[in-house]
């Protein structure tokens, strides 16, 4: 058994001890008190890392990387998700550099004690640093993916809440547009709102722009298309709330709104429809 193999065996045989030592060191550095279950989870994670290191030192950097990423993703998928405030998370991450250095120094002493040469010690330290860097990278990428998914879900909810159909009387309803009128909003109206309008057997729809900040050429074209689709399925549209500055924006887009039914307020549109 060569020195590196002896070192690997030592890691596997003493994974619990090494894990406890590095976890205790990290906990002492924290400015907050962690629940016992999180400390226990940290012990298990650190032990699993030490064991992974011991089992893969014989692999090439490329093979170790591929194996580690698969191993890390599996652990991420099975781990419990704890919720921390920004301040708590900052406190947990703050001692990471010191804990990492402590781990490397600890394993360096062990590798020297197992008779590794200077070159072999450097190899071990480089492998440890590489795996730790991979862990941070994979964790950040996973958190970014989850954040993006959450943002998409939130945006979907915002879009739905920002494009509500409000029945007024008999066969009339109002569609108030609030916030930014972008592709997602117009697509939502085309694919979800218009079918709902048809199901409600609405014949007259007021589209109110009081909550829209600006109208550019792209937005004007989308509004025009929505109006055309509604007219094709027999729904008369009335546009309201186009403020003077929005009217100037519409004129500057070059899209001809002159053939559309426009009113200053929702009340004017309702009164005009009642005649």
């Amino acid at each position: 058994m060569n020195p590196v193999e002896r070192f690997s065996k030592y890691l596997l045989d003493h994974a619990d001890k090494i894990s406890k030592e590095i976890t205790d060191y990290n906990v002492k550095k924290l400015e907050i008190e962690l629940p016992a279950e999180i400390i226990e989870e940290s012990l298990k994670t650190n032990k699993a890392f030490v064991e992974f290191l011991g089992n893969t030192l014989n692999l090439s950097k490329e093979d170790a990387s591929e194996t580690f990423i698969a191993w890390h993703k599996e652990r991420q998928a099975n781990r419990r998700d704890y919720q921390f405030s920004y301040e708590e998370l900052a406190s947990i991450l703050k001692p990471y550099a010191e804990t990492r250095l402590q781990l490397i120094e600890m394993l360096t002493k062990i590798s020297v004690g197992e008779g590794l040469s200077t070159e072999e010690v450097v190899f071990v330290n480089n492998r440890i640093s590489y795996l730790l860097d991979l862990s941070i990278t994979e964790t950040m990428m996973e958190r970014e993916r989850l954040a993006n998914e959450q943002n998409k879900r939130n945006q979907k909810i915002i879009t739905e809440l920002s494009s509500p159909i409000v029945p007024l009387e008999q066969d009339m309803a109002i569609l108030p547009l609030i916030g930014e009128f972008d592709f997602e909003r117009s697509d939502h109206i085309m694919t979800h709102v218009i079918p709902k309008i048809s199901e409600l057997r609405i014949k007259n729809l007021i589209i109110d722009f009081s909550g829209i900040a600006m109208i550019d050429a792209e937005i004007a074209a989308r509004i025009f298309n929505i109006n055309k689709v509604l007219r094709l399925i027999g729904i008369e549209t009335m546009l309201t709330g186009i403020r003077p500055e929005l009217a100037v924006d519409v004129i500057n887009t070059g899209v001809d709104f002159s053939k559309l039914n426009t009113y200053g307020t929702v009340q004017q549109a309702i009164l005009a429809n009642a005649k």
Side-chain angles (χ1 to χ4, degrees), residues 82-225:
Y82 299 99
Q83 299 297 320
F84 295 103
S85 67
Y86 172 80
E87 291 76 15
E88 289 172 332
L89 188 59
S91 178
I92 291 171
L93 293 176
K94 188 176 179 180
Y96 172 76
E98 288 186 47
T99 304
R100 173 183 177 136
L101 182 61
Q102 175 70 11
L103 174 63
I104 291 175
E105 289 179 349
M106 184 194 312
L107 296 184
T108 297
K109 290 180 181 178
I110 295 172
S111 61
V112 171
E114 292 299 314
L116 273 67
S117 66
T118 301
E119 183 178 353
E120 289 168 334
V121 170
V122 170
F123 164 76
V124 169
N125 287 349
N126 285 343
R127 177 59 60 85
I128 297 168
S129 295
Y130 182 64
L131 294 181
L132 290 173
D133 288 341
L134 275 180
S135 177
I136 288 294
T137 301
E138 289 297 315
T139 299
M140 291 177 63
M141 289 173 62
E142 176 64 11
R143 288 187 177 277
E144 185 67 20
R145 183 187 67 79
L146 293 175
N148 285 337
E149 289 180 356
Q150 185 62 51
N151 287 338
K152 288 179 181 178
R153 287 193 292 269
N154 291 342
Q155 186 58 51
K156 184 175 182 293
I157 294 172
I158 291 171
T159 298
E160 292 172 354
L161 294 175
S162 300
S163 306
I165 293 294
V166 183
L168 295 178
E169 55 184 34
Q170 296 179 344
D171 56 2
M172 178 180 284
I174 180 172
L175 172 61
L177 301 179
I178 305 167
E180 183 180 356
F181 192 83
D182 52 16
F183 172 78
E184 285 75 16
R185 179 79 63 82
S186 63
D187 182 63
H188 175 74
I189 291 175
M190 284 286 196
T191 58
H192 294 86
V193 177
I194 290 179
K196 185 177 180 181
I197 293 172
S198 182
E199 290 173 6
L200 294 173
R201 298 186 178 182
I202 292 168
K203 295 181 180 179
N204 298 281
L205 179 69
I206 298 172
I207 303 178
D208 185 60
F209 291 86
S210 300
I212 295 294
M214 55 85 67
I215 297 177
D216 58 18
E218 189 175 0
I219 291 174
R222 288 173 184 161
I223 294 169
F224 201 79
N225 288 336

Side-chain angles (χ1 to χ4, degrees), residues 226-263:
I226 289 171
N227 180 76
K228 286 198 297 184
V229 171
L230 288 168
R231 289 180 67 87
L232 284 172
I233 61 176
I235 299 172
E236 191 69 26
T237 59
M238 294 167 280
L239 309 185
T240 65
I242 300 181
R243 304 182 302 279
E245 63 270 24
L246 290 182
V248 173
D249 290 341
V250 170
I251 293 172
N252 290 335
T253 65
V255 178
D256 186 8
F257 271 38
S258 62
K259 296 181 180 180
L260 305 183
N261 297 324
T262 59
Y263 299 89

